[in-house]
Amino acid sequence: MKRPEPVQVVKQRRDATLDKLVSRVPYIQFLGINFDRRGDELTAILPYADKLIGNPALPAIHGGVTAAFLEVTAIIELSWSMIWQDMEAGKLADDADMTLKLPKTIDFTVDYLRSGLPRDAYARARINRSGRRYASVHVEAWQDNRSRLFAQGTGHFLMPQRDG
Amino acid sequence: MTDIQKTRRDMIARQFIEAIPHAQELGMRLTTVEDGKAVIAMDYDTRLVGDPETGVIHGGAVSALMDTCAGAAVMSHPEAAVATATLDLRIDYMRPATPGDQITATAECYHVTRSVAFVRATAVDADADRPVATATGAFTIERAKS
């Protein structure tokens, strides 16, 4: 029987794949979003920055930033789940994910539950339905308390056609 | 509406966008504002690219433009609010915006109650006949304490 791969090799491969996925999108870098990974679970982190403010009087994070943060989280979660099996099987060539096509947003709805405070924000996405062509994803975002969401969103996405 | 009211409303709407750090960061320009309608333009910017293969702007940046434009439409409504916040916003993406094109959003606040404003918005690129995205949203209306 084949010996399991050393844990560091597995972790390194997963982190490198995730990093490639995220770092090649300029807008994700512009907003400063990064991802924390525990196994296959991703948490998106939006570190606070003054340029994200939409209401300087409160102050509060811009509603558009919140929408973008949720949408980015959904797209990365979908892409990540799409490549997970190939990645784990070692079928993902070193440069294969560089040409990976991202899902396209069909529609996205955001509920603003509380104003976004000038703090770091976190988000996790749940794929409710993922078919060959369409996917439906729900995203929750919070700041200081996991149980007190400041926004949630649902979106539909067109999945890229994968060859082979 | 008197000239004074009109001037006040225009001023509020313009200050509204000028005072928003994120709108400034994205280079948004308020081009028209009148009675519950607002038009905001945003130049193409490589920092906002969402698809590195095609150079298409990320949907999130279009959302930020639509949200700002919808908010400006609420602020410019004759039943002037002193502040507003988004309750919900739904965006439908019709097609990718052409890389290099300016994106222009037009928002109309079509109904207002004591505490809620209903808005719809459309975003176009250089080909103004085929919308890039449309949006509908509900916004809070915060009134001056009387």
Side-chain angles (χ1 to χ4, degrees):
Chain A
M1 195 182 137
K2 215 175 115 187
R3 283 178 61 86
E5 282 184 297
V7 65
Q8 282 313 324
V9 172
V10 175
K11 279 189 179 177
Q12 199 279 329
R13 184 170 61 220
R14 290 173 181 172
D15 288 337
T17 305
L18 180 60
D19 184 57
K20 273 185 196 168
L21 198 60
V22 172
S23 63
R24 69 197 192 101
V25 182
Y27 187 63
I28 298 181
Q29 304 307 311
F30 170 72
L31 290 178
I33 299 169
N34 57 79
F35 286 80
D36 182 42
R37 185 190 64 78
R38 295 286 179 264
D40 70 344
E41 183 194 64
L42 300 182
T43 306
I45 302 161
L46 175 71
Y48 174 73
D50 289 341
K51 69 173 183 181
L52 305 180
I53 285 295
N55 182 334
L58 290 176
I61 291 179
H62 195 289
V65 170
T66 302
F69 180 47
L70 296 180
E71 195 180 322
V72 163
T73 305
I75 290 172
I76 293 299
E77 179 71 40
L78 268 176
S79 307
W80 177 245
S81 78
M82 208 164 64
I83 58 176
W84 175 265
Q85 271 196 319
D86 283 354
M87 177 181 68
E88 290 299 287
K91 285 184 197 160
L92 219 56
D94 275 349
D95 56 350
D97 42 352
M98 298 306 285
T99 59
L100 180 85
K101 290 198 164 52
L102 296 166
K104 288 196 166 60
T105 314
I106 299 169
D107 60 59
F108 203 79
T109 307
V110 183
D111 290 332
Y112 296 89
L113 307 170
R114 293 181 174 81
S115 66
L117 304 169
R119 314 254 170 82
D120 292 359
Y122 313 98
R124 277 189 202 140
R126 182 183 71 230
I127 301 172
N128 283 330
R129 147 93 198 173
S130 178
R132 280 180 58 82
R133 297 192 62 169
Y134 309 106
S136 177
V137 184
H138 183 79
V139 192
E140 295 183 339
W142 69 98
Q143 293 190 301
D144 296 323
N145 304 114
R146 177 69 181 90
S147 58
R148 284 169 61 86
L149 302 180
F150 79 100
Q152 62 179 356
T154 301
H156 295 92
F157 298 85
L158 191 62
M159 301 304 286
Q161 296 305 307
R162 304 187 67 188
D163 14 273
Chain B
M1 187 181 283
T2 66
D3 283 355
I4 292 169
Q5 277 177 310
K6 192 169 182 306
T7 308
R8 178 184 163 275
R9 188 203 58 202
D10 287 0
M11 199 179 72
I12 288 173
R14 281 182 199 281
Q15 280 176 349
F16 169 76
I17 187 161
E18 277 164 18
I20 301 172
H22 192 65
Q24 294 293 302
E25 187 71 26
L26 295 184
M28 293 183 199
R29 298 181 310 277
L30 186 74
T31 58
T32 308
V33 53
E34 55 174 42
D35 300 346
K37 273 191 188 171
V39 180
I40 297 181
M42 181 174 82
D43 284 336
Y44 182 78
D45 185 335
T46 51
R47 295 177 305 163
L48 309 181
V49 167
D51 186 341
E53 278 187 23
T54 59
V56 169
I57 294 285
H58 196 281
V62 179
S63 298
L65 174 64
M66 298 284 241
D67 184 63
T68 307
C69 192
V74 174
M75 294 300 288
S76 73
H77 195 275
E79 290 178 46
V82 294
T84 184
T86 319
L87 279 169
D88 77 43
L89 190 71
R90 176 197 162 110
I91 306 209
D92 294 323
Y93 296 97
M94 271 70 161
R95 65 175 177 94
T98 305
D101 279 9
Q102 168 184 286
I103 302 178
T104 307
T106 304
E108 181 199 5
C109 177
Y110 64 93
H111 187 75
V112 172
T113 72
R114 266 196 65 76
S115 41
V116 184
F118 298 91
V119 186
R120 49 185 163 235
T122 306
V124 297
D125 57 15
D127 182 0
D129 294 332
R130 296 162 56 233
V132 164
T134 59
T136 53
F139 287 72
T140 65
I141 291 204
E142 277 134 60
R143 293 177 183 280
K145 290 191 180 75
S146 49

